[in-house]
């Protein structure tokens, strides 16, 4: 069967098309994608005409599947392994990696030149992954083995939404037991922040969303309230002017705002400097919760142990050609997560 992928070929032009996937090179793996979540960042890539990726772009970055082949020098992975693909990896040689901070790597490696359109033109995979496809090729550091007991439809969420949300709490913010937490924006990432806060032992978890249905849904994942209130940590998963300014209004003395969401180009906010001073405000920016693929096995185990509810986050499952409806369901708020099953 032909290899296929969802491609942004030109600004505004997205289509499912036949693609060509090369064999993996040294240090690379070929993965057959079994499930891929439809994340807001893919919509961002479409709306921002590639968001810095060279066109044509192979969409998708939240995938799980099975290793089909490995390149030379790959000895810890083999054909048949169930893996989750990660977009946030470490090069081992940039300034931050050399300082012992692989979670802050500024040059995550890619596997360039392996993916092509049918006519041979090279495809740029979103965030070096490209998971809205039957197959992709990524560097071996971009995959982590997870138990096959966890269904692929759930496992794929670990690759972006769950790692981003949970690790924003545990790694970026280091939320302490008993802390009061607010989450603005209750999509898949926000619900993962809620679950991370529950795992961290937060005493209050306030789920806030303009869409009351989404805030209410967060109660089933561990939120304790849908009303705003003073908080030690406020996670802004939306990152628009209104939510960012609200986040600083909500922090208690010494409180921390954690910016997680991708803002549209040109977005700005206004903050009162006397207010920031009075509250001793702190701010952190979370790039995917500073996760690395080495976190995935733990997250998968928490899911198998019932500490993380991934099943309830998957509200829609569709074949690859359901990508368009999946974006519609994201825009109108009717899906928490649509998972495509190539
Ligand atoms: Zn994502
Ligand atoms: Zn690095």
């Amino acid at each position: 069967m032909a290899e296929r992928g969802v491609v942004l070929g030109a600004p505004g032009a997205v289509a499912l098309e036949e693609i060509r996937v090369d064999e993996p090179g040294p240090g690379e793996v070929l993965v057959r994608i079994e499930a891929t979540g439809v994340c807001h960042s893919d919509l961002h890539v479409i709306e921002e005409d590639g968001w810095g990726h060279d066109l044509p772009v192979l969409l998708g970055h939240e995938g799980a599947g099975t290793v089909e082949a490995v390149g030379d020098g790959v000895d810890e992975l083999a054909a048949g392994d169930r893996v989750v693909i990660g977009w946030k990896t470490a090069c081992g040689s940039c300034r931050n990696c050399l300082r012992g901070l692989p979670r802050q790597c500024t040059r995550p490696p890619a596997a360039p030149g392996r993916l092509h359109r049918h006519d041979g033109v090279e495809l740029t995979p979103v965030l070096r992954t490209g998971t809205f496809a039957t197959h992709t090729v990524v560097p071996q550091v971009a995959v982590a083995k997870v138990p096959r007991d966890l269904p692929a439809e759930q496992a794929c969420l670990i690759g972006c939404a769950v790692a981003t949300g949970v690790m924003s709490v545990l790694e970026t913010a280091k939320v302490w037991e008993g802390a009061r937490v607010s989450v603005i924006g209750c999509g898949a990432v926000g619900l993962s922040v809620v679950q991370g806060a529950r795992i961290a032992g937060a005493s209050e978890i306030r789920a806030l969303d303009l869409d009351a249905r989404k805030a209410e849904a967060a109660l089933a994942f561990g939120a304790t309230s849908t009303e705003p209130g003073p908080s030690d940590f406020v996670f802004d998963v939306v990152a628009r002017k209104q939510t960012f300014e609200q986040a600083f209004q909500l922090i208690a003395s010494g409180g921390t705002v954690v910016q997680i969401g991708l803002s549209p180009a040109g977005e700005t906010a206004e903050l009162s400097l006397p207010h920031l001073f009075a509250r001793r405000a702190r701010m952190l920016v979370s790039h995917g919760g500073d996760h690395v693929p080495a976190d995935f096995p733990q997250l998968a185990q928490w899911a198998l142990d019932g500490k993380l509810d991934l099943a309830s986050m998957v509200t829609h499952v569709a074949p690859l050609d359901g990508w368009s409806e999946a974006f519609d369901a994201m825009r109108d708020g009717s899906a928490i997560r649509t998972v495509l099953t190539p």
Side-chain angles (χ1 to χ4, degrees), residues 1 16 62 74 89 99 106 144 154 159 169 183 193 238 271 278 286 316 322 324 330:
M1 197 172 75
L16 175 61
E62 189 180 80
V74 178
T89 59
R99 282 179 62 211
T106 55
Q154 297 177 38
V169 174
V183 184
V193 172
V238 183
L271 299 172
S286 163
H316 299 65
S324 180
M330 178 188 296

Side-chain angles (χ1 to χ4, degrees), residues 153-174:
E153 291 81 359
Q154 297 177 38
C156 67
L157 302 189
I158 291 172
C160 186
V162 170
T164 296
V166 173
M167 299 308 286
S168 287
V169 174
L170 302 181
E171 179 62 37
T172 308
K174 299 185 170 62

Side-chain angles (χ1 to χ4, degrees), residues 91-92 94 97 105:
C91 71
C94 73
C97 281
C105 178

Side-chain angles (χ1 to χ4, degrees), residues 211-288:
D211 185 338
R213 292 172 302 172
K214 291 169 100 175
E216 288 289 323
L219 295 171
F221 291 88
T224 58
S225 167
T226 59
E227 298 296 325
S231 300
D232 302 305
F233 295 91
V234 181
F235 293 86
D236 181 6
V237 184
V238 183
R240 300 297 173 94
K241 175 180 168 66
Q242 185 193 355
T243 57
F244 192 70
E245 291 172 359
Q246 182 191 15
F248 279 94
Q249 289 303 318
L250 291 175
I251 49 170
S253 179
T256 302
V257 170
V258 185
Q259 180 192 357
I260 299 178
L262 277 175
S263 313
E267 189 80 355
T268 59
E270 282 177 52
L271 299 172
S272 157
L273 297 183
H275 172 76
L276 299 189
F277 187 87
R279 293 282 167 89
R280 304 178 193 191
R282 303 193 309 159
M283 184 197 160
L284 295 167
V285 174
S286 163
H287 280 193

Side-chain angles (χ1 to χ4, degrees), residues 88-93 97 101-109 141 292-293:
K88 237 185 109 313
T89 59
C91 71
S93 59
C97 281
L101 302 171
R103 293 174 183 276
Q104 273 85 52
C105 178
T106 55
R107 284 199 312 247
V141 293
V292 286

Side-chain angles (χ1 to χ4, degrees), residues 39 41 61-62 87 160 337:
C39 172
S41 304
H61 62 279
E62 189 180 80
W87 56 268
C160 186
R337 207 45 138 206

Side-chain angles (χ1 to χ4, degrees), residues 28-59:
E28 297 171 356
V29 294
L30 170 67
V31 181
R32 177 168 52 82
I33 307 291
E34 287 159 307
T36 175
V38 180
C39 172
H40 204 275
S41 304
D42 292 300
L43 190 56
H44 192 77
V45 169
I46 296 169
E47 289 176 345
E48 306 263 335
D49 296 338
W51 186 44
H53 297 80
D54 290 334
L55 298 176
V57 169
L58 178 60
L59 294 170

